[in-house]
Amino acid sequence: MTTESPALPCSEIPSSPPSASVRRSPAAIVAAVCLAALVLPLSFSGGALATPAIGAYFNGSPLALNWITNAFMLTFGSCLMAAGTLADRYGRKRIFICGIAGFTLLTLLIALAPGLIALNVLRAVQGLAAAAALAGGSAALAQEFEGHARTRVFSLMGTVFGIGLAFGPLSSGVLIDRFGWRAVFCVPLLFGLASLLLGLRYLRETVNPQASRVDWGGILSFTAMLALLTTGLLEAPARGWSAPVTLALLAAALLSLSLFIAIERRIAEPMLDLRLFRFPAFVGVQLLPVATCFCFVVLLVLLPIRFIGIEGRSPMAAGVLMIALSAPILVMPAVAVWLSGRLPAGLISGVGLLVAGVGLLWLGQVEVGASAAAILPPMLLTGIGAGLPWGLMDGLSVSVVPREQAGMASGIFSTIRVAGEGVSLALVSAALSYLIAASLPPAALHLQTASGMAPAAQGLAIGDMSNALSQGWSALQLQQVYQGAFRSLSEGLALLTIASALAVFWFLRGGTVARS
């Protein structure tokens, strides 16, 4: 999720004279930003793994529990480009420090949250802080290093992010098992505090005097579109896809998108230059983060819920199993970079998506409660496939457009990646609830009404079997229903991933454009 800011060092000026309190230490600067990058996947995977425990503790509704992850991803994705613009205009260090300080404080408040509503609101504000930390930190690194050194530090940043993805579920599982769900937020708190202290001491302030003005119209309309779309997708399982509220939310999201496009076409300095979509390769690159959302990111949330809520495994056991999916992110990006010296990047990325699609099809066939020997191979294959485009798409995002548009292309790519994660999670959660509701048999103890069916299906989708059990279904029936729904969902995700692979082959068949 980290991208390089390609702004030229000669266009940058310090916002204040060098101070004795700010020391030039490249290692400390890299450590400050990399620690911030580490807490983001830890917060994401920790919140996902803790969802069943949080639901049991607060007795929360399925909709409220879905917002534990979606609230964070929604604000994070919608504000990332805006945070980058603010960092260029008002100072990279200032935005980074505000972001990581806010993130750290909010992490503490989340650990102390008295209720589910408060927790979700704090998660949403935490997403804003995460956007500031990531955008400010990436821009600060880009100004501290040049050439090959810049490439190496951003590669290290990506590796650190992979470490967070790989071992976040395991560390979260251990903490939940031993200390409860609140302990999950203590590890990001410690790393965030260390990042803050290093950043205050060693980062220098820089601004871009040629930074464009803030496109508030674009920011507000884009954020409104994401918020309305995500809310509509999450409300649909409970209210129905044809319910007036659902249709109104989705229609409002479409209207906000139309408004956003109109603003970006007319404004002199848009947040998103729509002309970039004239480049077929640019369109192909934007498909890569969307595809990895559906073949990898959503599984980081779905599988812990299945392991803990449906299969009854402990959080620590679920975290151990999740290593098979996430550990390849540590290795495969380096393999992809090595292969890119011999094969086209588009070919490598497309093949990786095909492999991930096969892994998803295999994963859907594994029965609920199957042994680790049955579930680990398809998870590993899916992670290996997703890891190939993961290692190339950040570089591709700025290599397929003219050099003078590389900065905006990088911001667009990052926004599509993070916003896509939030939307894909909402869409997949809604689809799983719908598939479960369509398969639930009549309750054995009493007639089941349509209004009662939706809460049972939603609860089962987030791993809460208690509601459905209380309405007359047996645990075996519910596991069988979940298995069928999960199989259908996996097949749908596999088809999306394979279709994305074919589209990537097509759009990236010509390689990169000539750089000016």
Side-chain angles (χ1 to χ4, degrees):
M1 296 170 65
T2 57
T3 55
E4 177 179 343
S5 173
L8 297 175
C10 62
S11 67
E12 307 302 320
I13 59 173
S15 63
S16 58
S19 169
S21 63
V22 179
R23 300 179 180 180
R24 181 71 168 83
S25 174
I29 293 170
V30 172
V33 181
C34 284
L35 283 171
L38 180 63
V39 301
L40 299 182
L42 286 177
S43 179
F44 174 81
S45 60
L49 200 73
T51 295
I54 294 173
Y57 185 88
F58 288 123
N59 193 27
S61 68
L63 180 60
L65 293 175
N66 273 325
W67 279 109
I68 294 174
T69 300
N70 280 285
F72 176 83
M73 298 309 301
L74 173 64
T75 53
F76 187 14
S78 61
C79 296
L80 196 55
M81 267 200 292
T85 302
L86 293 173
D88 286 342
R89 176 174 284 272
Y90 298 111
R92 283 65 180 259
K93 177 179 180 178
R94 179 177 290 110
I95 296 300
F96 172 77
I97 293 299
C98 289
I100 195 62
F103 186 95
T104 304
L105 175 61
L106 288 161
T107 301
L108 174 62
L109 295 177
I110 290 170
L112 302 174
L116 195 51
I117 294 177
L119 189 150
N120 286 337
V121 171
L122 290 170
R123 285 283 280 177
V125 183
Q126 188 184 42
L128 295 174
L134 179 58
S138 298
L141 276 188
Q143 302 312 313
E144 294 290 346
F145 300 92
E146 298 181 18
H148 185 60
R150 183 188 291 185
T151 301
R152 284 190 287 110
V153 297
F154 274 90
S155 176
L156 175 62
M157 198 178 195
T159 301
V160 169
F161 188 86
I163 291 173
L165 282 179
F167 298 103
L170 177 60
S171 62
S172 298
V174 172
L175 289 171
I176 295 170
D177 263 359
R178 296 192 177 182
F179 306 108
W181 66 265
R182 295 183 189 275
V184 167
F185 299 98
C186 293
V187 173
L189 173 65
L190 296 176
F191 285 127
L193 184 59
S195 173
L196 174 61
L197 295 176
L198 287 171
L200 284 170
R201 184 171 181 82
Y202 293 104
L203 279 183
R204 65 188 178 94
E205 186 64 279
T206 60
V207 297
N208 181 1
Q210 299 175 346
S212 61
R213 68 182 183 85
V214 179
D215 177 15
W216 290 113
I219 291 171
L220 294 175
S221 57
F222 184 76
T223 303
M225 182 271 294
L226 283 179
L228 291 165
L229 177 60
T230 303
T231 304
L233 292 174
L234 292 177
E235 288 281 352
R239 298 180 181 272
W241 288 94
S242 59
V245 172
T246 304
L247 294 177
L249 287 168
L250 297 179
L254 182 60
L255 181 62
S256 297
L257 176 61
S258 301
L259 179 62
F260 172 72
I261 293 173
I263 291 173
E264 299 308 284
R265 292 181 63 182
R266 296 175 183 175
I267 194 170
E269 298 176 330
M271 183 175 73
L272 188 157
D273 189 348
L274 298 175
R275 292 174 297 179
L276 287 174
F277 288 92
R278 296 178 302 174
F279 301 108
F282 178 79
V283 176
V285 170
Q286 309 316 307
L287 291 174
L288 294 176
V290 175
T292 53
C293 284
F294 285 108
C295 71
F296 177 73
V297 176
V298 296
L299 296 180
L300 295 175
V301 176
L302 289 180
L303 289 179
I305 287 174
R306 168 176 168 162
F307 294 150
I308 299 170
I310 306 300
E311 298 184 355
R313 302 178 194 262
S314 69
M316 185 167 65
V320 171
L321 290 178
M322 289 301 295
I323 292 178
L325 178 70
S326 53
I329 295 297
L330 287 175
V331 179
M332 297 312 298
V335 174
V337 171
W338 179 80
L339 289 173
S340 66
R342 297 157 177 80
L343 297 171
L347 176 63
I348 298 168
S349 299
V351 168
L353 293 178
L354 290 178
V355 171
V358 172
L360 282 168
L361 289 173
W362 186 2
L363 183 63
Q365 303 305 311
V366 179
E367 297 291 331
V368 169
S371 66
I375 193 73
L376 290 179
M379 290 174 62
L380 183 62
L381 184 64
T382 304
I384 289 172
L388 288 174
W390 193 281
L392 298 175
M393 55 190 183
D394 287 279
L396 284 173
S397 68
V398 296
S399 68
V400 296
V401 297
R403 188 180 304 276
E404 64 272 13
Q405 293 178 299
M408 180 173 289
S410 176
I412 294 170
F413 172 82
S414 296
T415 299
I416 288 178
R417 172 188 267 181
V418 181
E421 290 171 356
V423 173
S424 63
L425 284 171
L427 183 60
V428 168
S429 297
L432 184 58
S433 295
Y434 174 82
L435 291 169
I436 291 173
S439 303
L440 278 172
L445 298 182
H446 59 276
L447 293 176
Q448 182 66 43
T449 64
S451 61
M453 183 80 76
Q458 284 185 284
L460 202 57
I462 61 166
D464 179 12
M465 296 182 66
S466 59
N467 183 282
L469 287 171
S470 68
Q471 298 186 43
W473 291 289
S474 68
L476 179 60
Q477 281 180 311
L478 296 176
Q479 288 180 341
Q480 290 173 341
V481 167
Y482 185 92
Q483 173 61 50
F486 191 89
R487 180 185 297 114
S488 297
L489 180 66
S490 297
E491 292 170 352
L493 294 176
L495 289 176
L496 280 174
T497 304
I498 292 171
S500 297
L502 298 177
V504 166
F505 287 141
W506 174 259
F507 283 113
L508 296 181
R509 67 191 185 281
T512 60
V513 301
R515 302 301 295 271
S516 59

